[in-house]
Amino acid sequence: MTSMAPEKTVTPALRAAEFELSIGGMTCASCAARIEKKLNRMDGVTATVNFATEKAKVAYGPGVEVADLIATVEKTGYTAQEPPKATARAEAETPQGQEPGHGGGEIGALRQRLLVSLVLAVPVVLMAMVPTLQFDNWQWLSLTLAAPVVVWGALPFHRAAWTNARHGAATMDTLVSIGTLAALGWSLWALFFGHAGMPGMRHGFDFSVSRADGSSSIYLEAAAGVTAFILAGRYLEAKSKRKAGAALRALLELGAKDVAVLRDGREVRIPTAELMAGDRFVVRPGEKIATDGTVVEGSSAVDASMLTGESVPVDVTVGDAVTGATVNASGRLVVEATRVGSDTQLSRMAKLVEDAQNGKAAVQRLADRISSVFVPVVLLIALGTLLTWLAVTGDATAAFTAAVAVLIIACPCALGLATPTALMVGTGRGAQLGILIKGPEVLESTRRVDTVVLDKTGTVTTGKMALHEVVTAPGVTEQELLRLAGALEHASEHPIARAIAEGATARTGVLPVPESFENIAGLGVQGVVDGHAVLVGREKLLADWVIELPVELAAAKAAAEAEGRTAVAVAWDGEARGVLTVADAVKDTSGRAVAELRRLGLTPVLLTGDNKAVAEAVAREVGIDEVIAEVLPQDKVDVVKRLQAEGRTVAMVGDGVNDAAALATADLGLAMGTGTDAAIEAGDLTLVRGDLLVAADAIRLSRRTLGTIKGNLFWAFGYNIAALPLAAAGLLNPMIAGAAMAFSSVFVVTNSLRLRRFR
């Protein structure tokens, strides 16, 4: 996705490689726009440069080398290098003894430059603003204090302006450098060649342009004050950008640093990076699980809250899958590694978040186009302001002041920060809550969606059979029925039997051990429990023993089957004693999730391959009116297309391989993170927790992030549109203009940081 150059058509062959570059030396959105433009002029290259993340994402085809990409960036006047690998990235971003931040660890130097400039600039500003502080020859003390601020404090601006000038370009630094040097140069002329250096010279301070004799006016407070304000803005911006990327860094730092691997029966502690698929490793209580794997020994509760946002620990035992970076809460586990390195869920999550942060929404592409032409236009406006004031008033002082104010007020920094900072915070916060947003284009889709198609199995329901209803014959207690039927079913491996056994255990406690047990293929089970001859299974199994269901039990069975549930008859000692119904259980949160989706203005539709009776029963339970049932997996895409043909904008929520094509076809695909890799790959949003309630949160967060981006851009555009005429009309003092410019960038970043409080 290119913001500066026209969209290129890159054939699949040319998309052979994708690469990411860390860019150094960018100071504003115009810098990013220039680098992007140069890269996109290379044959077979499509690049997106992000000012906030200081990275370029480049897709390039055969015949292009990485060295060529780096050389192009360096020829443009900036530095480029391959970023550190994900495993080492967190450490690399935080050099020892330095506070990480803007400009690759230079935030400490920026803070030092700011503090020295502030100490020197404050007395200069106070003397200029408060006439009572203007003692004889105060102006020479002002020059002594202000000169180091303008020359040394603003050196990064001058250096960047010179580099850009050598490459025939102008950026925000050009505006600041010209403005501050012009103010200093005018003041030096007035002091040494005009009347401003005379003992007893006094002048007042005005928020707007004030007319005075040019030879007796100095602008040292504007030069020093503007430099200090802009340095303060840069520093706060760097700190805020550091906070904005904190969620991704936290994600990268979640993983265990080392692991106890079993080698020849002994535990050997090695760095996690050396772990291989198939290795078995030990995880003690309180330790992080080193990588994705399968439990081969032990049982425990695992806290996955840092990955999924789910606060309740999950019980795991032999055969269960576990995820790297989650915490073993209780027992000792031996885990066999199944995925290592960049294949793990943690690494894939981090990659998704990083890719999303490096992208650009459609609204930002417009801002980039404006930024690229903005600086040259401002230079022309400043020149026009100077000439117009001179022609109309003949007042060189007022003309110069207005022109400098135009240069300083116009810096388009806020435009460049509007989208990336909101994206960084929004996607980072999403990752903390178990919501992975694939890219900024997704945000645009969430705003338009009006229909949400929900796959039933595994999305609205658990995808696992569970005991639903217990109906007893007269004189039989529910406890007794579950105890005897559950004991017999506990010995069976059938999914329906397991559902009954688990339900019985949950409701009655420990089950007795059958004295005898026999599985009757296709019919059920029979055996002896506590001295009773027990039958559990189809009605035909009871009929084979000449046992009939009484009217009330037959009615209960018929009612259950009419709703698509499986009914299991129970008899002992020659009499029918009850009916147990089993069904794919609806998730606890599905009803609340559907209500929340409705509140967001979405119409829910239940889509399933199950029979209509089952689908309608589930739909009634969760509050869905529209049901599309008995759909073959390959026909799910056609359903989505049909809804789109009706003029609807469709979101699809699913988790299986059979949902992948429909997720990709929908305007917005939400993949359950508990589902298959195919579904996750096809989705636009991944819900790590596998809870439908998170789908509503994901849409809310996406819409909130998009709203923040639009608010930021409105402020940035509005600020420049409103401020430029004021400055040109002589209604802004240059120092006030500098403060306002710095504030606009800080405001945009601070507004984005509000997304960190999303719940």
Side-chain angles (χ1 to χ4, degrees):
M1 203 176 315
T2 320
S3 64
M4 290 312 315
E7 290 285 340
K8 294 188 201 176
T9 304
V10 179
T11 63
L14 290 180
R15 289 194 186 277
E18 279 205 353
F19 193 74
E20 201 174 68
L21 290 172
S22 286
I23 307 292
M26 290 194 297
T27 54
C28 67
S30 301
C31 299
R34 283 191 60 235
I35 298 167
E36 194 170 288
K37 194 172 187 178
K38 294 283 187 184
L39 286 171
N40 280 305
R41 281 180 178 166
M42 296 174 69
D43 288 337
V45 172
T46 303
T48 304
V49 180
N50 190 309
F51 169 50
T53 59
E54 297 175 342
K55 285 178 183 167
K57 191 174 180 182
V58 188
Y60 60 96
V64 180
E65 300 291 333
V66 171
D68 299 335
L69 302 172
I70 292 173
T72 298
V73 175
E74 288 174 346
K75 279 181 198 165
T76 314
Y78 304 88
T79 62
Q81 62 183 29
E82 183 179 356
K85 300 294 180 201
T87 50
R89 197 176 298 152
E91 290 90 339
E93 285 186 358
T94 314
Q96 196 169 4
Q98 280 187 316
E99 186 180 350
H102 182 84
E106 293 173 3
I107 200 168
L110 183 58
R111 182 173 60 232
Q112 182 184 25
R113 197 177 292 272
L114 167 63
L115 290 174
V116 173
S117 297
L118 276 174
V119 168
L120 296 175
V122 167
V124 177
V125 173
L126 287 175
M127 284 189 286
M129 292 179 70
V130 184
T132 53
L133 296 178
Q134 294 172 4
F135 55 88
D136 284 350
N137 295 313
W138 67 275
Q139 65 272 42
W140 296 102
L141 176 61
S142 285
L143 176 63
T144 306
L145 296 173
V149 177
V150 179
V151 176
W152 175 80
L155 187 60
F157 310 131
H158 305 321
R159 192 184 290 133
W162 172 244
T163 301
N164 287 315
R166 278 172 35 226
H167 291 89
T171 66
M172 165 197 152
D173 296 294
T174 309
L175 304 181
V176 176
S177 181
I178 291 174
T180 53
L181 288 176
L184 178 64
W186 180 284
S187 302
L188 287 171
W189 176 82
L191 284 167
F192 287 99
F193 301 104
H195 305 298
M198 302 292 290
M201 190 277 278
R202 302 284 186 274
H203 80 62
F205 178 85
D206 195 346
F207 283 98
S208 62
V209 172
S210 53
R211 299 189 187 184
D213 174 17
S215 64
S216 62
S217 296
I218 57 174
Y219 291 97
L220 294 170
E221 81 284 356
V226 163
T227 301
F229 276 128
I230 295 175
L231 282 173
R234 284 274 173 95
Y235 177 70
L236 291 172
E237 175 191 311
K239 293 275 284 183
S240 299
K241 279 164 68 177
R242 173 74 187 162
K243 285 182 189 173
L248 177 58
R249 279 190 300 279
L251 203 58
L252 291 167
E253 290 164 4
L254 277 178
K257 300 293 182 280
D258 53 27
V259 57
V261 180
L262 290 175
R263 298 270 163 86
D264 301 323
R266 292 186 306 111
E267 290 183 26
V268 181
R269 196 155 279 277
I270 62 170
T272 304
E274 294 176 14
L275 203 58
M276 308 283 285
D279 282 346
R280 293 191 172 193
F281 58 92
V282 176
V283 192
R284 290 182 173 78
E287 288 184 340
K288 287 180 180 176
I289 295 170
T291 193
D292 299 358
T294 305
V295 178
V296 292
E297 189 183 309
S299 60
S300 179
V302 172
D303 179 2
S305 57
M306 70 286 295
L307 284 185
T308 65
E310 178 59 73
S311 57
V312 181
V314 179
D315 291 325
V316 296
T317 188
V318 175
D320 288 339
V322 289
T323 306
T326 55
V327 177
N328 180 15
S330 51
R332 178 183 182 273
L333 295 175
V334 177
V335 178
E336 183 174 311
T338 54
R339 285 175 172 170
V340 294
S342 59
D343 289 335
T344 63
Q345 184 174 342
L346 176 66
S347 294
R348 287 156 76 194
M349 282 175 67
K351 183 78 174 75
L352 278 172
V353 175
E354 199 164 30
D355 286 348
Q357 291 182 351
N358 283 334
K360 292 186 181 181
V363 282
Q364 179 63 23
R365 291 197 289 276
L366 173 63
D368 282 353
R369 289 192 188 97
I370 290 170
S371 291
S372 67
V373 298
F374 194 70
V375 175
V377 168
V378 168
L379 289 171
L380 289 174
I381 292 172
L383 181 62
T385 300
L386 179 69
L387 296 174
T388 302
W389 274 79
L390 284 172
V392 173
T393 67
D395 185 343
T397 305
F400 173 79
T401 307
V404 169
V406 167
L407 288 172
I408 290 165
I409 197 72
C411 298
C413 236
L415 280 178
L417 291 167
T419 296
T421 52
L423 266 180
M424 286 170 77
V425 183
T427 54
R429 181 63 183 143
Q432 291 174 333
L433 297 173
I435 301 163
L436 303 183
I437 302 170
K438 275 199 178 171
E441 307 84 0
V442 174
L443 305 179
E444 307 279 351
S445 303
T446 58
R447 180 174 54 87
R448 298 191 306 270
V449 165
D450 54 31
T451 302
V452 58
V453 175
L454 307 174
D455 173 57
K456 181 183 77 71
T457 308
T459 302
V460 176
T461 65
T462 60
K464 184 180 171 188
M465 300 296 261
L467 181 63
H468 187 267
E469 194 178 8
V470 180
V471 182
T472 59
V476 179
T477 65
E478 183 177 310
Q479 191 89 353
E480 185 182 13
L481 184 73
L482 286 173
R483 196 167 176 277
L484 296 178
L488 208 55
E489 294 283 49
H490 195 269
S492 172
E493 288 300 313
H494 194 280
I496 292 175
R498 282 206 301 270
I500 291 172
E502 286 171 11
T505 302
R507 298 189 197 188
T508 66
V510 180
L511 300 172
V513 178
E515 291 138 47
S516 69
F517 169 83
E518 185 184 356
N519 184 46
I520 312 298
L523 292 178
V525 293
Q526 63 185 40
V528 177
V529 182
D530 285 352
H532 299 285
V534 183
L535 302 170
V536 184
R538 294 178 181 241
E539 191 176 358
K540 188 176 184 307
L541 177 65
L542 275 64
D544 288 348
W545 288 81
V546 198
I547 299 172
E548 285 188 15
L549 287 178
V551 175
E552 62 272 21
L553 293 183
K557 176 178 175 291
E561 288 174 344
E563 292 204 335
R565 299 192 182 99
T566 302
V568 177
V570 182
W572 64 79
D573 298 341
E575 283 187 43
R577 308 287 182 166
V579 169
L580 304 174
T581 66
V582 175
D584 180 6
V586 172
K587 291 179 182 177
D588 294 340
T589 55
S590 291
R592 278 191 293 137
V594 169
E596 187 64 34
L597 289 167
R598 285 189 186 280
R599 271 196 292 276
L600 290 169
L602 306 176
T603 302
V605 177
L606 189 68
L607 179 66
T608 181
D610 263 357
N611 69 63
K612 200 167 179 64
V614 173
E616 287 179 343
V618 170
R620 275 196 301 275
E621 190 170 341
V622 297
I624 296 175
D625 301 326
E626 195 172 341
V627 178
I628 303 171
E630 298 171 18
V631 176
L632 294 173
Q634 60 268 32
D635 295 336
K636 289 187 176 183
V637 172
D638 296 331
V639 170
V640 171
K641 286 181 176 175
R642 177 166 57 77
L643 291 170
Q644 288 170 328
E646 292 172 6
R648 305 203 211 182
T649 304
V650 179
M652 167 83 188
V653 188
D655 72 330
V657 172
N658 60 354
D659 298 321
L663 286 167
T665 304
D667 299 284
L668 180 69
L670 294 93
M672 290 292 191
T674 47
T676 64
D677 290 350
I680 292 167
E681 194 62 35
D684 301 306
L685 287 157
T686 301
L687 315 176
V688 177
R689 199 189 306 167
D691 180 347
L692 189 57
L693 202 56
V694 184
D697 290 338
I699 291 172
R700 277 199 307 119
L701 175 62
S702 297
R703 286 180 176 178
R704 182 84 58 84
T705 305
L706 183 65
T708 302
I709 289 171
K710 291 192 167 177
N712 284 349
L713 286 168
F714 174 80
W715 166 262
F717 277 123
Y719 160 82
N720 278 313
I721 289 166
L724 269 174
L726 288 175
L731 299 175
L732 280 179
N733 181 286
M735 191 174 68
I736 304 304
M741 191 281 293
F743 172 74
S744 72
S745 294
V746 174
F747 172 85
V748 160
V749 180
T750 306
N751 188 44
S752 296
L753 287 172
R754 289 167 56 231
L755 287 167
R756 293 169 83 196
R757 298 199 295 270
F758 178 86
R759 292 285 180 270

